[in-house]
């Protein structure tokens, strides 16, 4: 299992793809190419149980109902670290994809290791696993860190099975289960080194009507934008705490430069990343000029 990538980085070698808005891995709304051989399904944990979809299947329901969705949008800056130099970011060398935190600390470059050591002080208890994702990316103005600028939540409950197909979709996000299930969802810490491409977080509770099951984040994004909730860009050098009910979205870079982004995930879920993901995990997405 490949969970980290060690490589020299230059602005000229930065992977770039056209921005489509469809999503790509982190914050994805796009169905992924299925592997040629089906991997064994990881154990189902309460955190990821699609309770709403299970009920639909048991009752043979074929129409997706709507519900009142309440996003508390818990978000807080828990620590602010010194802003690193562009040289320190570029030379840090190692990026991670669903890497266990102990392995990440051992393999990390000096800058990322300092972030991980700070994050460790804010990791809670009660979850079985702590994983690290990180990216070192060079942005030109207008570049986006992922292939989406949709409002979304991390760690949504996703089903890719016959129950979703019976409702006409290849996959479904069980939003009602994430928002109303009794199990505690995933928890997150996120760091970003620079302010020129800062994640935008909603800072006040949002209540809206939403389908109980959604195939992507298009409709959620449309309805959140219509409400225009107060939001704040993550400050440079900061570590923020949020959870699986915190709306946020990527924004386009305002200036050229390097950015280190690190996310710490506390979850009960067992994750085995596909090698193809980490190979393009630091790609940026360029909008037409």
């Amino acid at each position: 299992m490949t969970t980290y990538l060690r490589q020299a980085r230059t602005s000229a070698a930065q992977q770039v793809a056209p921005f489509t808005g469809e999503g790509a891995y982190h914050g994805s709304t796009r169905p992924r190419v299925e592997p040629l051989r089906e991997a064994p399904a990881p154990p189902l944990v309460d955190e990821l149980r699609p309770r709403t979809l299970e009920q639909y299947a048991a009752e043979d329901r074929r129409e997706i109902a709507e519900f009142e969705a309440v996003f508390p949008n818990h978000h807080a800056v828990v620590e602010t670290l010194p802003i690193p130099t562009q040289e320190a970011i570029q030379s840090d060398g190692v990026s991670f994809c669903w890497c266990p935190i102990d392995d990440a600390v051992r393999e990390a470059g000096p800058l990322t290791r300092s972030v991980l050591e700070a994050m460790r002080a804010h990791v809670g208890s009660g979850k079985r696993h702590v994983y690290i994702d990180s990216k070192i990316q060079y942005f030109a103005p207008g570049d986006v860190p992922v292939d989406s600028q949709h409002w979304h939540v991390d760690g949504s409950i996703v089903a890719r099975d016959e129950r979703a197909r019976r409702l006409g979709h290849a996959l479904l996000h069980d939003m009602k289960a994430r928002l109303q299930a009794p199990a505690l969802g995933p928890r997150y810490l996120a760091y970003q080194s620079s302010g020129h491409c800062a994640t935008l977080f909603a800072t006040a509770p949002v209540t809206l009507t939403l389908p109980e099951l959604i195939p992507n984040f298009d409709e959620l994004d449309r309805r959140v934008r219509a409400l225009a909730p107060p939001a704040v860009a993550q400050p440079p050098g900061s570590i923020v705490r949020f959870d699986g009910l915190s709306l946020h979205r990527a924004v386009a870079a305002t200036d050229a430069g390097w950015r280190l982004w690190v996310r710490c995930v506390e979850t009960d879920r067992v994750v085995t990343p596909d090698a193809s993901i980490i190979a393009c995990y630091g790609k940026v997405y360029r909008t037409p000029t």
Side-chain angles (χ1 to χ4, degrees), residues 6-26:
R6 189 184 306 275
Q7 63 181 21
R9 289 177 171 83
T10 66
S11 56
Q14 171 64 56
Q15 293 185 71
V16 178
F19 181 84
T20 68
E22 295 176 346
Y25 301 122
H26 174 65

Side-chain angles (χ1 to χ4, degrees), residues 26-27 152-156 178 186 188 242-246 248 263:
H26 174 65
H152 67 282
V153 293
D154 287 359
S156 61
R178 168 55 72 228
Y188 300 91
F242 61 105
D243 59 25
L245 305 180
S246 301
H248 59 286
R263 183 181 67 170

Side-chain angles (χ1 to χ4, degrees), residues 14-30 32 133-135 137-139 142-152 154 192 197-200 217 225 248-253 259 261 263 277 280-287:
Q14 171 64 56
Q15 293 185 71
V16 178
F19 181 84
T20 68
E22 295 176 346
Y25 301 122
H26 174 65
S28 178
T29 62
R30 182 180 62 193
R32 302 175 190 174
D133 294 325
S134 73
K135 302 177 185 179
Q137 296 164 295
Y138 183 84
F139 298 104
D143 287 351
V144 184
V146 292
D147 194 13
S148 173
Q149 294 190 68
H150 281 1
W151 287 103
H152 67 282
D154 287 359
Q192 51 192 21
C197 192
T199 304
L200 198 63
F217 291 123
R225 287 178 186 264
H248 59 286
R249 70 178 183 88
V251 299
R259 186 191 76 159
W261 170 87
R263 183 181 67 170
I277 295 178
C280 66
Y281 205 57
K283 188 180 293 184
V284 302
Y285 296 84
R286 186 155 293 167
T287 52

Side-chain angles (χ1 to χ4, degrees), residues 36-37 40 45 61 86 98 206 238 270 278:
L36 295 177
R37 299 180 65 182
V45 295
R61 294 170 61 182
Q86 289 286 287
W98 291 102
V206 169
S238 67
V270 175
I278 195 166

Side-chain angles (χ1 to χ4, degrees), residues 62-204:
R62 302 300 179 98
E63 299 293 328
I64 298 175
E66 295 193 333
F67 76 116
E68 184 178 79
V70 180
F71 295 88
N73 292 320
H74 299 304
H75 160 268
V77 174
V78 297
E79 189 168 348
T80 301
L81 305 179
I83 298 173
T85 66
Q86 289 286 287
E87 293 77 12
I89 300 169
Q90 179 184 358
S91 63
D92 204 49
V94 186
S95 56
F96 298 98
C97 180
W98 291 102
C99 183
I101 188 169
D102 290 341
D103 295 348
V105 171
R106 183 184 65 247
E107 300 293 340
L111 175 57
T112 301
R113 184 177 295 113
S114 69
V115 173
L116 297 179
E117 288 171 347
M119 282 182 165
R120 266 184 159 164
H122 302 285
V123 171
S125 60
K127 288 296 182 183
R128 302 174 191 172
H129 307 284
V130 181
Y131 295 107
I132 299 299
D133 294 325
S134 73
K135 302 177 185 179
I136 299 170
Q137 296 164 295
Y138 183 84
F139 298 104
D143 287 351
V144 184
V146 292
D147 194 13
S148 173
Q149 294 190 68
H150 281 1
W151 287 103
H152 67 282
V153 293
D154 287 359
S156 61
I157 300 172
V158 177
R160 297 176 175 87
D161 57 24
E162 182 58 31
R163 295 171 300 184
R165 290 189 287 272
R166 289 178 67 193
L167 291 166
H169 301 283
L171 68 86
L172 285 169
H173 300 260
D174 193 332
M175 298 304 294
K176 186 176 182 180
R178 168 55 72 228
L179 287 158
Q180 296 186 358
L184 180 66
R187 298 187 295 256
Y188 300 91
L189 297 165
Y191 164 90
Q192 51 192 21
S193 60
S194 317
H196 68 291
C197 192
T199 304
L200 198 63
F201 285 89
T203 56

